Amino acid sequence: MTLKLVAADYGDSAANSSEKYWAEVVKEYEAEHPGVRIDVDVYSWNDVDREVKEMVDAGNAPDMAQIGAYADYAADDLLYPADDLLSISAQADFAAQLADAGRVNGVQYGMPFAASTRLLFYNKELFDEAGISAPSTWEELAADAAALKAIGVKYPYALPLGAEEAQAETMQWLLSGGGGYTDETGAYSVDSPENVETFTWLRDELVGEGLTGPVAPGKLNRADAFAAFAAGDVGMLNGHPSLMTMAAKKGVKFGMVPMPGVNGPTKATMGVADWMMAFKQNGHGREVGEFLDFVYSERNVLAFSREYDLLPVTNSASQTMGGAEADQDLRPFLEELPLSELYPVGKTSWAAVSADVKKRIGGAVRSGGSPAAVLGEIAGTAVAAEGAAAGS
């Protein structure tokens, strides 16, 4: 029997392509299960979601897909519930908030595969030169940014609200202001008073004061902001673990602290997860479950997380990593994971909302921009997308 897996590539070169990771996993698994072959196709993040969609649309779904979102396939009743696949111990080992984000109507279809959180990175040398320390409140962040601007720092605070990943920077700021994309009931609350206040503050106190650099936030992409930080041109910005490696390679001395909030460090940070899912079409549930139990073993989860500077999605691997001296650089991100909130990925409407955030949110902070109007437009998109999802 052959099981087909389509997976995303987390590497940045041929030397660390995910093909190598999966080749090792498959080699070991097939040696222990001589009647099973695992056929893995790895695609770049630019292509993998589309490739899986085309396969599904053509009636040729893979047995498993490790991609960015699962909700559309769950809504179309194409996926096995995790309960039908994994052993009880494997399913119980998922970090609770990641498992919760994989549920639709209380049933888990998305199995978390990789996770990361965000911290505020700051350039220690620039902070020393400006005579400032890491901020814990918005007021301190703005004051630090002003001090950095005064010594000629190009991007005192880099605010990437460009099309690449605006939904991430937006969510981190919404959480730091006590809001978010959704409320406690899970309903969209994009234009809540807290969210409007957050973006009004950003417009007036950071962007309006010239503290976000020469590129308008709506035109600044996350990759360019990270590259500028690694080049020593950014005082501070929100970053995930891969930025540590980028900055260290360029010799940038940096510190990391929780995202500042209105009156102190933010209580909730943004978490991001990618997903494994299993399609029912080929009827290989038992065999897929046995393979995934192996994939989610502590050793394999640790190996993947360490290779790509990501956080383990299981409690057992997180505990091991938290206590390992070799992993101490990831510990601050690990500590944030239990406090993290994820995008509302269980909603099939989220893709449309996320796309609208990328398109519009930069306009909320430009001179003369209206946060209330822009957030209201995105909220309208959310209502329409939710209605379309409910009617489909």
Side-chain angles (χ1 to χ4, degrees):
M1 166 179 287
T2 299
L3 298 178
K4 177 78 170 178
L5 166 64
V6 177
D9 193 353
Y10 289 82
D12 54 16
S13 67
N16 69 346
S17 166
S18 293
E19 288 181 357
K20 290 193 169 184
Y21 171 79
W22 284 112
E24 287 295 316
V25 171
V26 167
K27 179 181 176 184
E28 187 174 344
Y29 187 78
E30 289 180 348
E32 297 175 8
H33 300 78
V36 179
R37 278 197 67 245
I38 311 293
D39 180 15
V40 184
D41 284 339
V42 173
Y43 295 96
S44 77
W45 274 109
N46 293 331
D47 302 323
V48 69
D49 290 291
R50 186 187 69 250
E51 291 284 345
V52 171
K53 184 178 187 304
E54 288 176 356
M55 293 171 74
V56 173
D57 289 348
N60 188 29
D63 293 290
M64 295 162 282
Q66 187 274 298
I67 53 178
Y70 67 87
D72 283 348
Y73 299 122
D76 290 340
D77 195 29
L78 299 177
L79 303 179
Y80 284 109
D83 300 31
D84 294 353
L85 299 166
L86 299 173
S87 65
I88 292 171
S89 58
Q91 193 175 1
D93 199 23
F94 288 132
Q97 80 277 33
L98 300 179
D100 287 345
R103 291 191 173 97
V104 176
N105 298 323
V107 178
Q108 185 180 0
Y109 295 97
M111 291 163 278
F113 186 76
S116 70
T117 55
R118 300 291 196 268
L119 290 169
L120 184 76
F121 282 66
Y122 64 97
N123 183 311
K124 285 186 172 181
E125 292 181 348
L126 295 178
F127 268 57
D128 287 346
E129 186 181 342
I132 55 178
S133 57
S136 62
T137 66
W138 286 1
E139 187 177 348
E140 292 172 2
L141 186 149
D144 284 353
L148 292 163
K149 181 183 179 182
I151 63 166
V153 175
K154 191 172 180 182
Y155 294 90
Y157 178 88
L159 183 66
L161 297 177
E164 179 196 357
E165 208 187 34
Q167 82 284 1
E169 184 75 10
T170 296
M171 182 168 173
Q172 185 61 70
W173 276 101
L174 296 182
L175 290 172
S176 75
Y181 287 122
T182 56
D183 62 21
E184 295 81 4
T185 70
Y188 283 114
S189 57
V190 180
D191 58 349
S192 69
E194 294 87 354
N195 292 347
V196 172
E197 285 179 22
T198 293
F199 268 80
T200 300
W201 187 88
L202 282 172
R203 181 196 64 189
D204 296 344
E205 304 300 328
L206 281 190
V207 182
E209 294 293 330
L211 302 178
T212 52
V215 179
K219 303 283 188 189
L220 182 64
N221 281 332
R222 192 249 330 164
D224 296 329
F226 277 21
F229 186 83
D233 292 333
V234 174
M236 49 187 159
L237 83 171
N238 282 313
H240 52 64
S242 69
L243 183 56
M244 293 190 301
T245 306
M246 283 182 64
K249 280 181 180 175
K250 293 292 185 74
V252 172
K253 294 181 172 62
F254 60 89
M256 301 177 299
V257 294
M259 176 66 182
V262 179
N263 299 311
T266 303
K267 292 184 173 59
T269 189
M270 189 189 75
V272 176
D274 301 322
W275 303 95
M276 178 72 77
M277 64 212 69
F279 289 90
K280 295 190 292 186
Q281 181 182 324
N282 300 320
H284 296 155
R286 182 176 63 80
E287 295 83 3
V288 166
E290 289 176 358
F291 177 63
L292 290 180
D293 271 2
F294 180 75
V295 167
Y296 283 108
S297 67
E298 180 181 331
R299 186 163 55 90
N300 284 330
V301 172
L302 277 172
F304 178 83
S305 302
R306 286 168 170 162
E307 177 66 32
Y308 299 109
D309 281 332
L310 290 162
L311 303 183
V313 296
T314 61
N315 295 317
S316 58
S318 290
Q319 287 169 0
T320 299
M321 183 177 272
E325 196 61 35
D327 299 313
Q328 63 177 346
D329 54 345
L330 282 170
R331 205 167 293 157
F333 294 94
L334 274 173
E335 290 168 357
E336 291 290 298
L337 190 57
L339 309 171
S340 67
E341 291 190 23
L342 281 74
Y343 301 130
V345 289
K347 294 176 176 285
T348 57
S349 55
W350 169 241
V353 176
S354 176
D356 208 43
V357 170
K358 293 177 182 182
K359 176 180 168 185
R360 298 182 190 274
I361 198 66
V365 296
R366 67 169 174 249
S367 177
S370 170
V374 171
L375 291 169
E377 289 166 349
I378 298 169
T381 296
V383 170
E386 282 281 84
S392 62

